[in-house]
Amino acid sequence: MAVLEVKDLCKTYVINKRQNNVLKNVNFTVEDGEMVAVMGPSGSGKSTLLYAVSGMDEATAGSVLFDGKDITKIKGKELAALRLDEMGFIFQQMYMMKNLTILDNIVLPAMESKKTKESKSEKIARGEELMRKLGIIEVADNDINEVSGGQLQRACICRSMINKPRVLFADEPTGALNRTSSNEVMEELVKLNEEGTTIMMVTHDAKVAAKCSRVLYIVDGNIKGEYVAPREGELQEKDRERRLNNWLMDLGW
């Protein structure tokens, strides 16, 4: 079942009376439980695509069906509630409230949400459980400047999962991390995906993309190619990376 259906999606910016067509009639679907990477050269429209399909940016034309509902047709509080309750977000820059502890930052979206009738203590307990799962419970009471980059990004993953979203959107989630922290964060995202969370992420890192089930390659606002990865277990990790790299090179990566 498709959780995301994108049809003839266009995004145009007008700068100094000149039109800049960033996305041009983009079409694709994301099935429930998939982990899809979006790759392409700088300025190709990767992040714009992610923001348009998640309702963070308004599409110029086309439709985005999220769980059957066209989010291009809804606005204001209804869209904000949908994004809060049904979508999770992770960014390269790890935005968190400086005056709150790590745990308080994680549970903040749950406190804002009316999705469940859980008590405050139940929401806090769920936040603590997510932190245990991702191996960072020991920093629950720390300020955001008292943890490593890898710990902070794992905290951002916990926050993105607190409302049990249908889809997790990630924009360069490992871009600001060193290789060790990047590997740790990707391991957690792969685990979440294996447990059923649908993930769509933008990345420039083929090593990261090789862990995804599918890769969309975008150039100048158009999807130029689609790579379907071999099933888990069919190839060693290095072979998966090599095969993806060969495909990317054929597309001019």
Side-chain angles (χ1 to χ4, degrees):
M1 176 187 165
V3 67
L4 200 60
E5 292 181 74
V6 178
K7 299 176 181 177
D8 299 325
L9 183 68
C10 299
K11 179 64 185 178
T12 301
Y13 294 102
V14 178
I15 302 168
N16 297 328
K17 297 183 180 178
R18 292 183 63 184
Q19 280 197 353
N20 182 14
N21 300 313
V22 184
L23 299 175
K24 306 164 190 171
N25 295 315
V26 174
N27 292 274
F28 67 91
T29 61
V30 176
E31 298 295 321
D32 199 19
E34 267 197 300
M35 187 170 179
V36 178
V38 180
M39 299 188 76
S42 295
S44 58
K46 302 186 297 293
S47 293
T48 302
L49 177 63
L50 193 79
Y51 295 160
V53 302
S54 61
M56 282 193 286
D57 197 0
E58 195 172 335
T60 305
S63 62
V64 178
L65 298 179
F66 181 89
D67 216 11
K69 180 177 285 191
D70 188 353
I71 66 169
T72 67
K73 299 283 196 295
I74 59 175
K75 290 180 171 59
K77 289 182 179 179
E78 187 184 355
L79 180 58
L82 177 72
R83 289 179 52 228
L84 176 66
D85 293 343
E86 304 299 339
M87 303 177 187
F89 297 91
I90 312 169
F91 303 98
Q92 180 174 345
Q93 299 303 321
M94 296 160 251
Y95 304 107
M96 282 203 165
M97 304 284 284
K98 292 179 181 176
N99 60 330
L100 299 179
T101 66
I102 297 291
L103 177 59
D104 286 342
N105 266 288
I106 288 169
V107 299
L108 185 60
M111 299 302 180
E112 297 289 321
S113 174
K114 297 178 174 63
K115 185 177 180 179
T116 67
K117 293 181 179 178
E118 290 174 306
S119 66
K120 182 178 178 181
S121 60
E122 286 172 325
K123 291 175 179 179
I124 291 170
R126 202 146 49 76
E128 290 172 338
E129 182 55 35
L130 280 167
M131 292 190 80
R132 278 191 203 92
K133 191 173 171 183
L134 272 78
I136 53 169
I137 189 63
E138 72 279 2
V139 300
D141 296 325
N142 288 34
D143 292 334
I144 65 169
N145 58 358
E146 295 175 332
V147 296
S148 70
Q151 288 173 319
L152 193 60
Q153 192 61 301
R154 277 183 277 171
C156 289
I157 294 173
C158 291
R159 181 181 60 187
S160 74
M161 293 300 296
I162 193 72
N163 286 336
K164 300 176 183 175
R166 292 279 281 126
V167 180
L168 184 57
F169 294 99
D171 189 9
E172 300 280 11
T174 62
L177 304 175
N178 61 33
R179 180 52 71 187
T180 300
S181 294
S182 173
N183 289 341
E184 289 171 357
V185 165
M186 276 310 298
E187 279 176 23
E188 299 303 340
L189 289 174
V190 168
K191 279 184 205 167
L192 287 174
N193 178 246
E194 288 171 347
E195 290 165 7
T197 301
T198 305
I199 299 175
M200 180 178 173
M201 74 165 73
V202 165
T203 183
H204 66 275
D205 190 336
K207 192 177 180 69
V208 167
K211 296 184 183 295
C212 296
S213 51
R214 196 153 54 98
V215 179
L216 303 176
Y217 191 79
I218 187 169
V219 179
D220 294 333
N222 288 295
I223 293 176
K224 293 293 187 186
E226 183 177 319
Y227 175 81
V228 179
R231 282 194 299 249
E232 197 63 44
E234 286 184 3
L235 287 175
Q236 296 284 339
E237 189 170 333
K238 283 184 179 177
D239 292 326
R240 290 173 72 87
E241 287 176 35
R242 180 178 50 78
R243 190 174 284 194
L244 175 59
N245 270 310
N246 289 341
W247 178 80
L248 289 169
M249 286 170 65
D250 287 343
L251 287 170
W253 175 250

